[in-house]
Amino acid sequence: MLKAELGTTPRTDETPGLIRIEADVPDDLSETAHTRLLAALTSADVRFGHDLTGGNKKSVFWVELDRREP
């Protein structure tokens, strides 16, 4: 979902209890793509967010899946 809407390759970090997926947000992300992504994430049973990170204020969408919950 992140790759399809953002056009960037997601990174995955897995621990025994959590899977975190992050993807860089391109500067030219359309409002339509942003809206579709938020709608899809809102309807999914996941934690998600949109952060500005680092000194260069890189924009990143992230999703967390809890492995401990059924």
Side-chain angles (χ1 to χ4, degrees):
M1 170 180 19
L2 290 174
K3 185 174 184 174
E5 293 300 339
L6 300 176
T8 59
T9 302
R11 299 172 298 282
T12 303
D13 183 26
E14 297 187 38
T15 64
L18 185 75
I19 299 171
R20 183 178 174 101
I21 305 164
E22 297 181 349
D24 297 333
V25 178
D27 292 336
D28 61 348
L29 181 66
S30 72
E31 186 175 333
T32 302
H34 186 253
T35 300
R36 280 193 311 253
L37 182 57
L38 287 177
L41 290 171
T42 301
S43 68
D45 187 21
V46 297
R47 287 183 302 276
F48 67 92
H50 184 188
D51 296 332
L52 294 176
T53 61
N56 62 357
K57 299 294 183 194
K58 181 171 60 172
S59 182
V60 175
F61 261 114
W62 58 267
V63 177
E64 290 181 341
L65 307 161
D66 192 338
R67 290 181 166 197
R68 296 168 292 186
E69 294 180 11

